[in-house]
Amino acid sequence: MGMFDFLRPKKNTASIAKDRLRIIVAQERTSRGAPDYLPLLQRELLEVIRKYVSIDVDAVKVDLVKDGDHDVLDISVALPEERTAPA
Amino acid sequence: MGMFDFLRPKKNTASIAKDRLRIIVAQERTSRGAPDYLPLLQRELLEVIRKYVSIDVDAVKVDLVKDGDHDVLDISVALPEERTAPA
């Protein structure tokens, strides 16, 4: 355990945390240049996710961050509470 | 930095590490049940990525792991070295 600890909400917000779906796309920035396709990719990834999970576009939070030598696209989706377990 | 440290290769393999694209999809397992759509989602995500980056299907490594209360789909793609910077 622990490798994906960053996925977990902070302790003090756990009680109000909704279910979340996190999608993280990371690529090293090297000689091939920055992966400037990440913002475009984001929309298509969400379209795919939407086929499987009911998501509200307002509940989507997107960050495009530089973390050391990586460009990281971090998509966080708050899932609607009313959704029932899959059939 | 450090939040995405897990994306980096271990020090002793850094010298031979290829560029990698990592896609991580994580969802909490709660009352709605396990997100058993993750294996299906994997193929579609790769199809989207393939529009943007030239990838070799043999260079794709997929892990579906349980990390605490999360189901995590971890797709790691070794990018071909001959690829040049985008025009």
Side-chain angles (χ1 to χ4, degrees), chain A residues 19-59:
Chain A
D19 279 358
R20 286 199 162 265
L21 180 70
R22 281 286 287 281
I23 309 154
I24 293 167
V25 182
Q27 184 173 344
E28 285 175 87
R29 244 175 305 118
T30 59
S31 55
R32 80 185 60 204
D36 49 8
Y37 57 85
L38 287 183
L40 300 170
L41 185 59
Q42 156 196 330
R43 198 187 48 202
E44 292 201 53
L45 291 179
L46 281 171
E47 279 168 15
V48 170
I49 297 285
R50 194 169 286 141
K51 290 188 199 172
Y52 293 90
V53 192
S54 162
I55 59 176
D56 178 354
V57 75
D58 295 331

Side-chain angles (χ1 to χ4, degrees), chain B residues 18-71:
Chain B
K18 289 188 182 183
D19 278 357
R20 286 199 162 266
L21 180 70
R22 281 286 287 281
I23 309 154
I24 293 168
V25 181
Q27 184 174 344
E28 286 175 87
R29 246 176 303 118
T30 58
S31 55
R32 80 185 60 203
D36 49 7
Y37 57 84
L38 288 182
L40 300 170
L41 185 59
Q42 156 196 333
R43 198 187 50 202
E44 291 202 52
L45 291 179
L46 281 171
E47 279 168 15
V48 170
I49 296 287
R50 195 169 285 139
K51 291 188 198 172
Y52 293 91
V53 193
S54 162
I55 59 176
D56 178 354
V57 73
D58 295 332
V60 176
K61 179 173 174 292
V62 176
D63 286 307
L64 183 56
V65 297
K66 296 188 191 305
D67 182 68
D69 54 356
H70 285 76
D71 284 310

